[in-house]
Amino acid sequence: TANIAVRAALTGHMVISTLHAGSCQGVWDRLFALCPDRHAVTTTLALVLNQRLLRRLCAACAGQGCAACGATGYHGCVPVVEWVRAGHRASEPAVPEQLLAVAGQELVAAGVTNEAELRRVFGHED
């Protein structure tokens, strides 16, 4: 399937797909493992996104727990995203323009989510 997607992209078709990888660099690693033509992979990739969903603090109770959020302190989700644009070379590591951890910390600073949610999603310990 990965080879077919790369070949379709080489013919000018826009291909949007998902791939299970832990990071932006992981996408290149997985595609290089699945597609023997590394040049085709690097030529056809335009943008790689890596995302996680964080629970949003409840606006009604500011994360304390209320009837509106079912006493969880959270209501809804917000994506935290990192990305790498085209121009990446196979010989260089993919360095995201914004790291997930940085984007997550910005959401904490803005009061959208909290540190406990970051630890839950990213598995970091204090």
Side-chain angles (χ1 to χ4, degrees):
T1 304
N3 280 313
I4 292 169
V6 168
R7 296 292 168 215
L10 283 171
T11 64
H13 291 81
M14 182 186 300
V15 178
I16 300 172
S17 182
T18 61
L19 180 69
H20 294 279
S23 66
C24 288
Q25 179 62 45
V27 170
W28 269 272
D29 296 341
R30 289 286 307 272
L31 285 174
F32 291 154
L34 296 170
C35 302
D37 188 349
R38 293 172 70 96
H39 177 71
V41 171
T42 57
T43 301
T44 57
L45 277 178
L47 180 69
V48 173
L49 293 172
N50 182 19
Q51 73 170 15
R52 302 288 189 283
L53 290 176
L54 299 175
R55 294 179 295 178
R56 182 185 300 268
L57 290 175
C58 176
C61 65
Q64 300 303 309
C66 66
C69 63
T72 64
Y74 301 100
H75 191 266
C77 293
V78 60
V80 59
V81 180
E82 67 182 9
W83 64 91
V84 175
R85 294 187 191 277
H88 172 74
R89 294 188 203 139
S91 62
E92 299 173 357
V95 179
E97 294 188 28
Q98 180 176 19
L99 298 173
L100 283 176
V102 173
Q105 286 297 331
E106 289 176 358
L107 291 173
V108 170
V112 175
T113 193
N114 58 20
E115 288 286 340
E117 179 64 358
L118 286 184
R119 285 190 304 274
R120 184 189 72 82
V121 170
F122 295 113
H124 297 228
E125 295 294 325
D126 286 338

PDB file of all heavy atoms in Angstrom, residues 14-55:
ATOM      1  N   MET A  14      -2.534  14.031  -5.366  1.00  0.00           N
ATOM      2  CA  MET A  14      -2.352  14.390  -3.963  1.00  0.00           C
ATOM      3  C   MET A  14      -2.785  13.191  -3.139  1.00  0.00           C
ATOM      4  O   MET A  14      -3.917  12.727  -3.247  1.00  0.00           O
ATOM      5  CB  MET A  14      -3.187  15.598  -3.564  1.00  0.00           C
ATOM      6  CG  MET A  14      -2.948  15.974  -2.103  1.00  0.00           C
ATOM      7  SD  MET A  14      -4.004  17.272  -1.441  1.00  0.00           S
ATOM      8  CE  MET A  14      -3.633  18.628  -2.497  1.00  0.00           C
ATOM      9  N   VAL A  15      -1.888  12.698  -2.330  1.00  0.00           N
ATOM     10  CA  VAL A  15      -2.174  11.555  -1.477  1.00  0.00           C
ATOM     11  C   VAL A  15      -2.102  12.019  -0.030  1.00  0.00           C
ATOM     12  O   VAL A  15      -1.095  12.558   0.404  1.00  0.00           O
ATOM     13  CB  VAL A  15      -1.153  10.412  -1.719  1.00  0.00           C
ATOM     14  CG1 VAL A  15      -1.438   9.245  -0.786  1.00  0.00           C
ATOM     15  CG2 VAL A  15      -1.176   9.969  -3.171  1.00  0.00           C
ATOM     16  N   ILE A  16      -3.185  11.817   0.685  1.00  0.00           N
ATOM     17  CA  ILE A  16      -3.221  12.119   2.104  1.00  0.00           C
ATOM     18  C   ILE A  16      -3.457  10.793   2.808  1.00  0.00           C
ATOM     19  O   ILE A  16      -4.395  10.077   2.492  1.00  0.00           O
ATOM     20  CB  ILE A  16      -4.345  13.119   2.439  1.00  0.00           C
ATOM     21  CG1 ILE A  16      -4.111  14.430   1.685  1.00  0.00           C
ATOM     22  CG2 ILE A  16      -4.426  13.349   3.943  1.00  0.00           C
ATOM     23  CD1 ILE A  16      -5.252  15.417   1.791  1.00  0.00           C
ATOM     24  N   SER A  17      -2.597  10.478   3.733  1.00  0.00           N
ATOM     25  CA  SER A  17      -2.675   9.168   4.368  1.00  0.00           C
ATOM     26  C   SER A  17      -2.251   9.251   5.818  1.00  0.00           C
ATOM     27  O   SER A  17      -1.658  10.237   6.261  1.00  0.00           O
ATOM     28  CB  SER A  17      -1.765   8.194   3.615  1.00  0.00           C
ATOM     29  OG  SER A  17      -1.846   6.909   4.185  1.00  0.00           O
ATOM     30  N   THR A  18      -2.546   8.197   6.547  1.00  0.00           N
ATOM     31  CA  THR A  18      -2.065   8.072   7.915  1.00  0.00           C
ATOM     32  C   THR A  18      -1.060   6.939   7.975  1.00  0.00           C
ATOM     33  O   THR A  18      -1.095   6.009   7.167  1.00  0.00           O
ATOM     34  CB  THR A  18      -3.211   7.777   8.902  1.00  0.00           C
ATOM     35  OG1 THR A  18      -3.818   6.536   8.542  1.00  0.00           O
ATOM     36  CG2 THR A  18      -4.235   8.884   8.889  1.00  0.00           C
ATOM     37  N   LEU A  19      -0.167   7.044   8.933  1.00  0.00           N
ATOM     38  CA  LEU A  19       0.850   6.028   9.139  1.00  0.00           C
ATOM     39  C   LEU A  19       1.169   6.028  10.621  1.00  0.00           C
ATOM     40  O   LEU A  19       1.377   7.091  11.212  1.00  0.00           O
ATOM     41  CB  LEU A  19       2.109   6.371   8.320  1.00  0.00           C
ATOM     42  CG  LEU A  19       3.282   5.427   8.406  1.00  0.00           C
ATOM     43  CD1 LEU A  19       2.939   4.102   7.724  1.00  0.00           C
ATOM     44  CD2 LEU A  19       4.495   6.044   7.722  1.00  0.00           C
ATOM     45  N   HIS A  20       1.177   4.874  11.220  1.00  0.00           N
ATOM     46  CA  HIS A  20       1.487   4.792  12.644  1.00  0.00           C
ATOM     47  C   HIS A  20       2.986   4.899  12.854  1.00  0.00           C
ATOM     48  O   HIS A  20       3.745   4.034  12.434  1.00  0.00           O
ATOM     49  CB  HIS A  20       0.942   3.494  13.239  1.00  0.00           C
ATOM     50  CG  HIS A  20      -0.536   3.434  13.241  1.00  0.00           C
ATOM     51  ND1 HIS A  20      -1.295   4.062  14.212  1.00  0.00           N
ATOM     52  CD2 HIS A  20      -1.415   2.872  12.395  1.00  0.00           C
ATOM     53  CE1 HIS A  20      -2.574   3.863  13.949  1.00  0.00           C
ATOM     54  NE2 HIS A  20      -2.674   3.147  12.850  1.00  0.00           N
ATOM     55  N   ALA A  21       3.395   5.986  13.458  1.00  0.00           N
ATOM     56  CA  ALA A  21       4.799   6.226  13.803  1.00  0.00           C
ATOM     57  C   ALA A  21       4.805   7.117  15.037  1.00  0.00           C
ATOM     58  O   ALA A  21       3.892   7.914  15.245  1.00  0.00           O
ATOM     59  CB  ALA A  21       5.535   6.899  12.651  1.00  0.00           C
ATOM     60  N   GLY A  22       5.833   7.009  15.835  1.00  0.00           N
ATOM     61  CA  GLY A  22       5.888   7.760  17.074  1.00  0.00           C
ATOM     62  C   GLY A  22       6.352   9.195  16.932  1.00  0.00           C
ATOM     63  O   GLY A  22       6.234   9.983  17.860  1.00  0.00           O
ATOM     64  N   SER A  23       6.892   9.547  15.759  1.00  0.00           N
ATOM     65  CA  SER A  23       7.438  10.885  15.561  1.00  0.00           C
ATOM     66  C   SER A  23       7.460  11.199  14.075  1.00  0.00           C
ATOM     67  O   SER A  23       7.229  10.328  13.242  1.00  0.00           O
ATOM     68  CB  SER A  23       8.865  10.958  16.107  1.00  0.00           C
ATOM     69  OG  SER A  23       9.715  10.119  15.344  1.00  0.00           O
ATOM     70  N   CYS A  24       7.795  12.449  13.750  1.00  0.00           N
ATOM     71  CA  CYS A  24       7.932  12.817  12.339  1.00  0.00           C
ATOM     72  C   CYS A  24       9.064  12.009  11.694  1.00  0.00           C
ATOM     73  O   CYS A  24       8.918  11.510  10.580  1.00  0.00           O
ATOM     74  CB  CYS A  24       8.192  14.309  12.206  1.00  0.00           C
ATOM     75  SG  CYS A  24       6.740  15.326  12.563  1.00  0.00           S
ATOM     76  N   GLN A  25      10.186  11.872  12.386  1.00  0.00           N
ATOM     77  CA  GLN A  25      11.289  11.071  11.855  1.00  0.00           C
ATOM     78  C   GLN A  25      10.844   9.633  11.643  1.00  0.00           C
ATOM     79  O   GLN A  25      11.242   8.985  10.677  1.00  0.00           O
ATOM     80  CB  GLN A  25      12.503  11.105  12.789  1.00  0.00           C
ATOM     81  CG  GLN A  25      13.674  10.257  12.303  1.00  0.00           C
ATOM     82  CD  GLN A  25      14.246  10.711  10.971  1.00  0.00           C
ATOM     83  OE1 GLN A  25      14.449  11.898  10.768  1.00  0.00           O
ATOM     84  NE2 GLN A  25      14.493   9.784  10.074  1.00  0.00           N
ATOM     85  N   GLY A  26       9.991   9.141  12.514  1.00  0.00           N
ATOM     86  CA  GLY A  26       9.491   7.777  12.396  1.00  0.00           C
ATOM     87  C   GLY A  26       8.728   7.522  11.104  1.00  0.00           C
ATOM     88  O   GLY A  26       8.704   6.400  10.601  1.00  0.00           O
ATOM     89  N   VAL A  27       8.106   8.564  10.553  1.00  0.00           N
ATOM     90  CA  VAL A  27       7.392   8.414   9.278  1.00  0.00           C
ATOM     91  C   VAL A  27       8.383   8.083   8.173  1.00  0.00           C
ATOM     92  O   VAL A  27       8.171   7.158   7.382  1.00  0.00           O
ATOM     93  CB  VAL A  27       6.578   9.679   8.938  1.00  0.00           C
ATOM     94  CG1 VAL A  27       6.035   9.623   7.527  1.00  0.00           C
ATOM     95  CG2 VAL A  27       5.454   9.857   9.950  1.00  0.00           C
ATOM     96  N   TRP A  28       9.488   8.842   8.116  1.00  0.00           N
ATOM     97  CA  TRP A  28      10.504   8.539   7.100  1.00  0.00           C
ATOM     98  C   TRP A  28      11.068   7.131   7.314  1.00  0.00           C
ATOM     99  O   TRP A  28      11.208   6.380   6.363  1.00  0.00           O
ATOM    100  CB  TRP A  28      11.632   9.576   7.145  1.00  0.00           C
ATOM    101  CG  TRP A  28      11.409  10.732   6.244  1.00  0.00           C
ATOM    102  CD1 TRP A  28      11.780  10.815   4.934  1.00  0.00           C
ATOM    103  CD2 TRP A  28      10.768  11.960   6.545  1.00  0.00           C
ATOM    104  NE1 TRP A  28      11.395  12.034   4.422  1.00  0.00           N
ATOM    105  CE2 TRP A  28      10.778  12.760   5.395  1.00  0.00           C
ATOM    106  CE3 TRP A  28      10.179  12.464   7.695  1.00  0.00           C
ATOM    107  CZ2 TRP A  28      10.231  14.023   5.348  1.00  0.00           C
ATOM    108  CZ3 TRP A  28       9.636  13.726   7.648  1.00  0.00           C
ATOM    109  CH2 TRP A  28       9.659  14.491   6.487  1.00  0.00           C
ATOM    110  N   ASP A  29      11.374   6.798   8.533  1.00  0.00           N
ATOM    111  CA  ASP A  29      11.929   5.475   8.823  1.00  0.00           C
ATOM    112  C   ASP A  29      10.991   4.372   8.377  1.00  0.00           C
ATOM    113  O   ASP A  29      11.419   3.391   7.760  1.00  0.00           O
ATOM    114  CB  ASP A  29      12.236   5.346  10.319  1.00  0.00           C
ATOM    115  CG  ASP A  29      13.306   6.312  10.794  1.00  0.00           C
ATOM    116  OD1 ASP A  29      14.074   6.828   9.946  1.00  0.00           O
ATOM    117  OD2 ASP A  29      13.373   6.556  12.013  1.00  0.00           O
ATOM    118  N   ARG A  30       9.687   4.518   8.683  1.00  0.00           N
ATOM    119  CA  ARG A  30       8.707   3.503   8.282  1.00  0.00           C
ATOM    120  C   ARG A  30       8.578   3.421   6.767  1.00  0.00           C
ATOM    121  O   ARG A  30       8.545   2.339   6.186  1.00  0.00           O
ATOM    122  CB  ARG A  30       7.332   3.813   8.882  1.00  0.00           C
ATOM    123  CG  ARG A  30       7.192   3.624  10.357  1.00  0.00           C
ATOM    124  CD  ARG A  30       7.128   2.167  10.803  1.00  0.00           C
ATOM    125  NE  ARG A  30       6.129   1.360  10.151  1.00  0.00           N
ATOM    126  CZ  ARG A  30       4.869   1.205  10.538  1.00  0.00           C
ATOM    127  NH1 ARG A  30       4.437   1.844  11.608  1.00  0.00           N
ATOM    128  NH2 ARG A  30       4.051   0.423   9.879  1.00  0.00           N
ATOM    129  N   LEU A  31       8.487   4.590   6.102  1.00  0.00           N
ATOM    130  CA  LEU A  31       8.352   4.572   4.646  1.00  0.00           C
ATOM    131  C   LEU A  31       9.593   3.999   3.964  1.00  0.00           C
ATOM    132  O   LEU A  31       9.487   3.274   2.974  1.00  0.00           O
ATOM    133  CB  LEU A  31       8.037   5.970   4.117  1.00  0.00           C
ATOM    134  CG  LEU A  31       6.602   6.426   4.347  1.00  0.00           C
ATOM    135  CD1 LEU A  31       6.432   7.875   3.913  1.00  0.00           C
ATOM    136  CD2 LEU A  31       5.608   5.535   3.617  1.00  0.00           C
ATOM    137  N   PHE A  32      10.778   4.304   4.494  1.00  0.00           N
ATOM    138  CA  PHE A  32      12.001   3.734   3.915  1.00  0.00           C
ATOM    139  C   PHE A  32      12.020   2.218   4.094  1.00  0.00           C
ATOM    140  O   PHE A  32      12.525   1.493   3.244  1.00  0.00           O
ATOM    141  CB  PHE A  32      13.247   4.352   4.547  1.00  0.00           C
ATOM    142  CG  PHE A  32      13.467   5.793   4.189  1.00  0.00           C
ATOM    143  CD1 PHE A  32      14.182   6.609   5.040  1.00  0.00           C
ATOM    144  CD2 PHE A  32      12.962   6.338   3.023  1.00  0.00           C
ATOM    145  CE1 PHE A  32      14.403   7.951   4.727  1.00  0.00           C
ATOM    146  CE2 PHE A  32      13.158   7.677   2.700  1.00  0.00           C
ATOM    147  CZ  PHE A  32      13.887   8.477   3.553  1.00  0.00           C
ATOM    148  N   ALA A  33      11.454   1.726   5.191  1.00  0.00           N
ATOM    149  CA  ALA A  33      11.379   0.283   5.409  1.00  0.00           C
ATOM    150  C   ALA A  33      10.356  -0.373   4.482  1.00  0.00           C
ATOM    151  O   ALA A  33      10.541  -1.504   4.037  1.00  0.00           O
ATOM    152  CB  ALA A  33      11.037  -0.011   6.864  1.00  0.00           C
ATOM    153  N   LEU A  34       9.280   0.358   4.164  1.00  0.00           N
ATOM    154  CA  LEU A  34       8.205  -0.194   3.333  1.00  0.00           C
ATOM    155  C   LEU A  34       8.434  -0.004   1.839  1.00  0.00           C
ATOM    156  O   LEU A  34       7.915  -0.777   1.027  1.00  0.00           O
ATOM    157  CB  LEU A  34       6.872   0.446   3.720  1.00  0.00           C
ATOM    158  CG  LEU A  34       6.374   0.174   5.132  1.00  0.00           C
ATOM    159  CD1 LEU A  34       5.181   1.070   5.456  1.00  0.00           C
ATOM    160  CD2 LEU A  34       6.010  -1.291   5.291  1.00  0.00           C
ATOM    161  N   CYS A  35       9.163   1.039   1.457  1.00  0.00           N
ATOM    162  CA  CYS A  35       9.378   1.374   0.049  1.00  0.00           C
ATOM    163  C   CYS A  35      10.872   1.317  -0.264  1.00  0.00           C
ATOM    164  O   CYS A  35      11.642   2.095   0.299  1.00  0.00           O
ATOM    165  CB  CYS A  35       8.860   2.770  -0.269  1.00  0.00           C
ATOM    166  SG  CYS A  35       7.123   3.007   0.080  1.00  0.00           S
ATOM    167  N   PRO A  36      11.267   0.454  -1.163  1.00  0.00           N
ATOM    168  CA  PRO A  36      12.695   0.335  -1.459  1.00  0.00           C
ATOM    169  C   PRO A  36      13.286   1.563  -2.156  1.00  0.00           C
ATOM    170  O   PRO A  36      14.485   1.790  -2.070  1.00  0.00           O
ATOM    171  CB  PRO A  36      12.776  -0.897  -2.362  1.00  0.00           C
ATOM    172  CG  PRO A  36      11.403  -1.094  -2.890  1.00  0.00           C
ATOM    173  CD  PRO A  36      10.463  -0.503  -1.900  1.00  0.00           C
ATOM    174  N   ASP A  37      12.471   2.372  -2.814  1.00  0.00           N
ATOM    175  CA  ASP A  37      12.955   3.539  -3.547  1.00  0.00           C
ATOM    176  C   ASP A  37      12.951   4.772  -2.628  1.00  0.00           C
ATOM    177  O   ASP A  37      11.983   5.520  -2.558  1.00  0.00           O
ATOM    178  CB  ASP A  37      12.087   3.775  -4.782  1.00  0.00           C
ATOM    179  CG  ASP A  37      12.638   4.842  -5.702  1.00  0.00           C
ATOM    180  OD1 ASP A  37      13.573   5.561  -5.302  1.00  0.00           O
ATOM    181  OD2 ASP A  37      12.102   4.966  -6.821  1.00  0.00           O
ATOM    182  N   ARG A  38      14.065   4.992  -1.927  1.00  0.00           N
ATOM    183  CA  ARG A  38      14.165   6.108  -0.989  1.00  0.00           C
ATOM    184  C   ARG A  38      14.003   7.459  -1.694  1.00  0.00           C
ATOM    185  O   ARG A  38      13.433   8.389  -1.141  1.00  0.00           O
ATOM    186  CB  ARG A  38      15.508   6.060  -0.254  1.00  0.00           C
ATOM    187  CG  ARG A  38      15.642   4.861   0.667  1.00  0.00           C
ATOM    188  CD  ARG A  38      17.052   4.736   1.225  1.00  0.00           C
ATOM    189  NE  ARG A  38      17.371   5.766   2.178  1.00  0.00           N
ATOM    190  CZ  ARG A  38      17.281   5.655   3.493  1.00  0.00           C
ATOM    191  NH1 ARG A  38      16.875   4.523   4.018  1.00  0.00           N
ATOM    192  NH2 ARG A  38      17.605   6.656   4.282  1.00  0.00           N
ATOM    193  N   HIS A  39      14.506   7.565  -2.910  1.00  0.00           N
ATOM    194  CA  HIS A  39      14.390   8.815  -3.654  1.00  0.00           C
ATOM    195  C   HIS A  39      12.919   9.144  -3.921  1.00  0.00           C
ATOM    196  O   HIS A  39      12.492  10.300  -3.796  1.00  0.00           O
ATOM    197  CB  HIS A  39      15.168   8.741  -4.968  1.00  0.00           C
ATOM    198  CG  HIS A  39      15.020   9.977  -5.806  1.00  0.00           C
ATOM    199  ND1 HIS A  39      15.610  11.173  -5.458  1.00  0.00           N
ATOM    200  CD2 HIS A  39      14.328  10.201  -6.958  1.00  0.00           C
ATOM    201  CE1 HIS A  39      15.281  12.090  -6.362  1.00  0.00           C
ATOM    202  NE2 HIS A  39      14.515  11.520  -7.276  1.00  0.00           N
ATOM    203  N   ALA A  40      12.129   8.143  -4.267  1.00  0.00           N
ATOM    204  CA  ALA A  40      10.703   8.369  -4.521  1.00  0.00           C
ATOM    205  C   ALA A  40      10.005   8.847  -3.251  1.00  0.00           C
ATOM    206  O   ALA A  40       9.166   9.749  -3.299  1.00  0.00           O
ATOM    207  CB  ALA A  40      10.046   7.093  -5.042  1.00  0.00           C
ATOM    208  N   VAL A  41      10.377   8.279  -2.127  1.00  0.00           N
ATOM    209  CA  VAL A  41       9.765   8.683  -0.859  1.00  0.00           C
ATOM    210  C   VAL A  41      10.093  10.146  -0.559  1.00  0.00           C
ATOM    211  O   VAL A  41       9.202  10.949  -0.271  1.00  0.00           O
ATOM    212  CB  VAL A  41      10.235   7.779   0.303  1.00  0.00           C
ATOM    213  CG1 VAL A  41       9.783   8.341   1.652  1.00  0.00           C
ATOM    214  CG2 VAL A  41       9.699   6.360   0.120  1.00  0.00           C
ATOM    215  N   THR A  42      11.358  10.514  -0.634  1.00  0.00           N
ATOM    216  CA  THR A  42      11.741  11.893  -0.306  1.00  0.00           C
ATOM    217  C   THR A  42      11.225  12.894  -1.329  1.00  0.00           C
ATOM    218  O   THR A  42      10.962  14.042  -0.990  1.00  0.00           O
ATOM    219  CB  THR A  42      13.276  12.028  -0.166  1.00  0.00           C
ATOM    220  OG1 THR A  42      13.893  11.602  -1.363  1.00  0.00           O
ATOM    221  CG2 THR A  42      13.788  11.213   0.997  1.00  0.00           C
ATOM    222  N   THR A  43      11.045  12.460  -2.568  1.00  0.00           N
ATOM    223  CA  THR A  43      10.527  13.343  -3.615  1.00  0.00           C
ATOM    224  C   THR A  43       9.043  13.622  -3.432  1.00  0.00           C
ATOM    225  O   THR A  43       8.574  14.726  -3.703  1.00  0.00           O
ATOM    226  CB  THR A  43      10.765  12.718  -5.002  1.00  0.00           C
ATOM    227  OG1 THR A  43      12.155  12.521  -5.173  1.00  0.00           O
ATOM    228  CG2 THR A  43      10.235  13.595  -6.120  1.00  0.00           C
ATOM    229  N   THR A  44       8.298  12.641  -2.945  1.00  0.00           N
ATOM    230  CA  THR A  44       6.843  12.769  -2.904  1.00  0.00           C
ATOM    231  C   THR A  44       6.298  13.329  -1.598  1.00  0.00           C
ATOM    232  O   THR A  44       5.193  13.866  -1.579  1.00  0.00           O
ATOM    233  CB  THR A  44       6.164  11.408  -3.168  1.00  0.00           C
ATOM    234  OG1 THR A  44       6.632  10.462  -2.215  1.00  0.00           O
ATOM    235  CG2 THR A  44       6.457  10.924  -4.573  1.00  0.00           C
ATOM    236  N   LEU A  45       7.029  13.234  -0.516  1.00  0.00           N
ATOM    237  CA  LEU A  45       6.520  13.770   0.750  1.00  0.00           C
ATOM    238  C   LEU A  45       6.543  15.291   0.731  1.00  0.00           C
ATOM    239  O   LEU A  45       7.556  15.904   0.420  1.00  0.00           O
ATOM    240  CB  LEU A  45       7.365  13.281   1.917  1.00  0.00           C
ATOM    241  CG  LEU A  45       7.036  11.900   2.460  1.00  0.00           C
ATOM    242  CD1 LEU A  45       7.998  11.541   3.585  1.00  0.00           C
ATOM    243  CD2 LEU A  45       5.621  11.805   2.938  1.00  0.00           C
ATOM    244  N   ALA A  46       5.420  15.883   1.066  1.00  0.00           N
ATOM    245  CA  ALA A  46       5.337  17.345   1.121  1.00  0.00           C
ATOM    246  C   ALA A  46       5.276  17.841   2.569  1.00  0.00           C
ATOM    247  O   ALA A  46       5.844  18.869   2.902  1.00  0.00           O
ATOM    248  CB  ALA A  46       4.118  17.833   0.361  1.00  0.00           C
ATOM    249  N   LEU A  47       4.587  17.103   3.422  1.00  0.00           N
ATOM    250  CA  LEU A  47       4.402  17.522   4.805  1.00  0.00           C
ATOM    251  C   LEU A  47       4.122  16.290   5.651  1.00  0.00           C
ATOM    252  O   LEU A  47       3.347  15.421   5.260  1.00  0.00           O
ATOM    253  CB  LEU A  47       3.226  18.495   4.912  1.00  0.00           C
ATOM    254  CG  LEU A  47       2.876  19.038   6.278  1.00  0.00           C
ATOM    255  CD1 LEU A  47       3.970  19.982   6.773  1.00  0.00           C
ATOM    256  CD2 LEU A  47       1.550  19.771   6.229  1.00  0.00           C
ATOM    257  N   VAL A  48       4.746  16.222   6.803  1.00  0.00           N
ATOM    258  CA  VAL A  48       4.492  15.147   7.765  1.00  0.00           C
ATOM    259  C   VAL A  48       4.006  15.791   9.050  1.00  0.00           C
ATOM    260  O   VAL A  48       4.629  16.713   9.571  1.00  0.00           O
ATOM    261  CB  VAL A  48       5.770  14.325   8.036  1.00  0.00           C
ATOM    262  CG1 VAL A  48       5.543  13.329   9.156  1.00  0.00           C
ATOM    263  CG2 VAL A  48       6.230  13.614   6.771  1.00  0.00           C
ATOM    264  N   LEU A  49       2.860  15.330   9.534  1.00  0.00           N
ATOM    265  CA  LEU A  49       2.289  15.812  10.788  1.00  0.00           C
ATOM    266  C   LEU A  49       2.292  14.690  11.809  1.00  0.00           C
ATOM    267  O   LEU A  49       1.992  13.544  11.473  1.00  0.00           O
ATOM    268  CB  LEU A  49       0.837  16.261  10.599  1.00  0.00           C
ATOM    269  CG  LEU A  49       0.573  17.468   9.744  1.00  0.00           C
ATOM    270  CD1 LEU A  49      -0.926  17.635   9.525  1.00  0.00           C
ATOM    271  CD2 LEU A  49       1.141  18.705  10.371  1.00  0.00           C
ATOM    272  N   ASN A  50       2.608  15.019  13.032  1.00  0.00           N
ATOM    273  CA  ASN A  50       2.523  14.091  14.147  1.00  0.00           C
ATOM    274  C   ASN A  50       1.634  14.769  15.175  1.00  0.00           C
ATOM    275  O   ASN A  50       1.854  15.934  15.512  1.00  0.00           O
ATOM    276  CB  ASN A  50       3.927  13.844  14.713  1.00  0.00           C
ATOM    277  CG  ASN A  50       3.926  12.857  15.853  1.00  0.00           C
ATOM    278  OD1 ASN A  50       3.007  12.080  16.043  1.00  0.00           O
ATOM    279  ND2 ASN A  50       4.988  12.892  16.644  1.00  0.00           N
ATOM    280  N   GLN A  51       0.610  14.066  15.643  1.00  0.00           N
ATOM    281  CA  GLN A  51      -0.323  14.714  16.552  1.00  0.00           C
ATOM    282  C   GLN A  51      -0.721  13.814  17.705  1.00  0.00           C
ATOM    283  O   GLN A  51      -0.647  12.596  17.619  1.00  0.00           O
ATOM    284  CB  GLN A  51      -1.586  15.165  15.829  1.00  0.00           C
ATOM    285  CG  GLN A  51      -2.511  14.026  15.456  1.00  0.00           C
ATOM    286  CD  GLN A  51      -3.862  14.522  14.971  1.00  0.00           C
ATOM    287  OE1 GLN A  51      -4.030  15.686  14.654  1.00  0.00           O
ATOM    288  NE2 GLN A  51      -4.831  13.638  14.919  1.00  0.00           N
ATOM    289  N   ARG A  52      -1.139  14.442  18.770  1.00  0.00           N
ATOM    290  CA  ARG A  52      -1.755  13.787  19.918  1.00  0.00           C
ATOM    291  C   ARG A  52      -2.948  14.652  20.316  1.00  0.00           C
ATOM    292  O   ARG A  52      -2.977  15.844  20.049  1.00  0.00           O
ATOM    293  CB  ARG A  52      -0.804  13.715  21.117  1.00  0.00           C
ATOM    294  CG  ARG A  52       0.502  13.006  20.885  1.00  0.00           C
ATOM    295  CD  ARG A  52       0.314  11.502  20.768  1.00  0.00           C
ATOM    296  NE  ARG A  52       1.583  10.812  20.749  1.00  0.00           N
ATOM    297  CZ  ARG A  52       2.406  10.737  19.711  1.00  0.00           C
ATOM    298  NH1 ARG A  52       2.111  11.343  18.596  1.00  0.00           N
ATOM    299  NH2 ARG A  52       3.528  10.063  19.792  1.00  0.00           N
ATOM    300  N   LEU A  53      -3.906  14.038  20.966  1.00  0.00           N
ATOM    301  CA  LEU A  53      -5.047  14.790  21.485  1.00  0.00           C
ATOM    302  C   LEU A  53      -4.905  14.927  22.988  1.00  0.00           C
ATOM    303  O   LEU A  53      -4.650  13.950  23.693  1.00  0.00           O
ATOM    304  CB  LEU A  53      -6.364  14.085  21.152  1.00  0.00           C
ATOM    305  CG  LEU A  53      -6.761  14.098  19.685  1.00  0.00           C
ATOM    306  CD1 LEU A  53      -8.032  13.270  19.487  1.00  0.00           C
ATOM    307  CD2 LEU A  53      -6.960  15.503  19.178  1.00  0.00           C
ATOM    308  N   LEU A  54      -5.072  16.147  23.474  1.00  0.00           N
ATOM    309  CA  LEU A  54      -5.047  16.435  24.902  1.00  0.00           C
ATOM    310  C   LEU A  54      -6.451  16.825  25.345  1.00  0.00           C
ATOM    311  O   LEU A  54      -7.165  17.508  24.610  1.00  0.00           O
ATOM    312  CB  LEU A  54      -4.093  17.596  25.202  1.00  0.00           C
ATOM    313  CG  LEU A  54      -2.637  17.409  24.837  1.00  0.00           C
ATOM    314  CD1 LEU A  54      -1.860  18.692  25.090  1.00  0.00           C
ATOM    315  CD2 LEU A  54      -2.029  16.263  25.612  1.00  0.00           C
ATOM    316  N   ARG A  55      -6.831  16.396  26.527  1.00  0.00           N
ATOM    317  CA  ARG A  55      -8.127  16.805  27.045  1.00  0.00           C
ATOM    318  C   ARG A  55      -8.075  18.283  27.426  1.00  0.00           C
ATOM    319  O   ARG A  55      -7.098  18.762  27.996  1.00  0.00           O
ATOM    320  CB  ARG A  55      -8.512  15.964  28.264  1.00  0.00           C
ATOM    321  CG  ARG A  55      -8.746  14.505  27.905  1.00  0.00           C
ATOM    322  CD  ARG A  55      -9.097  13.677  29.108  1.00  0.00           C
ATOM    323  NE  ARG A  55      -7.959  13.650  30.026  1.00  0.00           N
ATOM    324  CZ  ARG A  55      -7.975  13.037  31.203  1.00  0.00           C
ATOM    325  NH1 ARG A  55      -9.053  12.417  31.633  1.00  0.00           N
ATOM    326  NH2 ARG A  55      -6.897  13.069  31.974  1.00  0.00           N
TER     327      ARG A  55
END
